Each structure stands twice: as C-alpha cells, then as structure tokens.
Amino acid sequence: MKARTVYTYIDFNREVMTRKFICQAWDDGKQVGVPKVIKNELIFYVLEDFSQLEHGYFGIEEPVFGEEVSHDDALMIIPGVAFDPYRQRIGYGQGFYDRYLSVHKGLKTIAVAFDFQVLDRVPAEETDIRPSLLITESRTY
C-alpha cells in the first residue's frame, strides 16, 4: 500500500517491535502517527523523533508533545495479545482500537504478531473489528 501516513503502536510487553518499522517509514518519507490515551480514547500524534515519547497510560510509551493527526486514508498497524486465523484479536481489554476504528472506517488495517500468538480460536464480541491482514513471521492471514 502506498499510504502517506502510517499509524502504529509503540511496542509494549513482548509485542512485535515497531521502532525499526517506524524508522523505515520515516526513511520512505511517510508521516508516522502514534497513539496517546486521553479520556479513554486514542488520539494519534505525529511522531518525528523517539524523544517525544514518555511512559504514559498502562506504562506504554506515548507522545508528550506533537501535532494531532487524523487521516482516514492511512494505514494502521494494530497490536494484539492473541489472534486466530480468522483475524479476530484480543488486546488488553480496553477496546481502544475497536472504538477508534468504528469511527475511522476508511483506514487500512494490518495486525502483526508472532506465530505463537495465533491460536485456533479467540473469543470475539460484536463490537470487535478485525484487521484486513494478520502477518506473522511465517504466514499471512
């Protein structure tokens, strides 16, 4: 995909690491947005340098300054704790990404995971939004 803007998470607690991906996006001339939790919602901010990050909600690094960004034609890289081959995902249980994606329906979405995170089946709720693709080190779903 030739998105000009990429939203991605800052890895936390053994998630697939994103810093090299972010650096490659910058090298490719892309704008990178990363989330910050404000009043139980995700707000994405332009990340221009890792020095913008400090530990925030739940101990996850978040931008402490920067310009808010909202492009509904961006590519979003979604984190998760567990997935299944049907692209259902379990996060940390707060529903941040599902709520964000329910409003920003034009975003292209990809989840990245390690093979061991893909289970036969994970529980799903009606409000869960599946990523378009799930990519692991050995397979794409």
Side-chain angles (χ1 to χ4, degrees), residues 46-92:
V46 175
L47 184 69
E48 295 177 330
D49 188 275
F50 293 116
S51 67
Q52 290 173 248
L53 302 174
E54 289 184 5
H55 292 282
Y57 182 83
F58 205 60
I60 300 169
E61 289 185 304
E62 299 178 329
V64 291
F65 62 90
E67 175 187 345
E68 190 175 323
V69 62
S70 181
H71 296 289
D72 280 346
D73 60 347
L75 171 67
M76 178 180 277
I77 310 299
I78 302 173
V81 174
F83 300 87
D84 68 23
Y86 309 99
R87 301 181 328 277
Q88 294 290 352
R89 64 178 279 278
I90 296 175
Y92 287 102

Side-chain angles (χ1 to χ4, degrees), residues 4-119:
R4 292 182 300 132
T5 301
V6 177
Y7 297 149
T8 187
Y9 63 94
I10 299 296
D11 55 272
F12 173 74
N13 197 23
R14 300 188 186 122
E15 293 172 325
V16 172
M17 294 179 279
T18 56
R19 287 180 187 257
K20 286 184 180 180
F21 175 78
I22 291 168
C23 289
Q24 184 62 56
W26 287 334
D27 289 347
D28 291 343
K30 297 184 184 303
Q31 182 180 58
V32 174
V34 297
K36 179 178 181 74
V37 175
I38 299 177
K39 295 183 181 176
N40 212 29
E41 296 296 326
L42 288 183
I43 306 294
F44 283 82
Y45 288 87
V46 175
L47 184 69
E48 295 177 330
D49 188 275
F50 293 116
S51 67
Q52 290 173 248
L53 302 174
E54 289 184 5
H55 292 282
Y57 182 83
F58 205 60
I60 300 169
E61 289 185 304
E62 299 178 329
V64 291
F65 62 90
E67 175 187 345
E68 190 175 323
V69 62
S70 181
H71 296 289
D72 280 346
D73 60 347
L75 171 67
M76 178 180 277
I77 310 299
I78 302 173
V81 174
F83 300 87
D84 68 23
Y86 309 99
R87 301 181 328 277
Q88 294 290 352
R89 64 178 279 278
I90 296 175
Y92 287 102
Q94 301 297 314
F96 292 120
Y97 281 87
D98 293 318
R99 284 194 303 278
Y100 190 89
L101 290 168
S102 72
V103 174
H104 302 275
K105 297 175 191 252
L107 293 172
K108 306 295 184 239
T109 56
I110 296 174
V112 292
F114 297 108
D115 286 325
F116 72 83
Q117 291 177 278
V118 181
L119 309 175

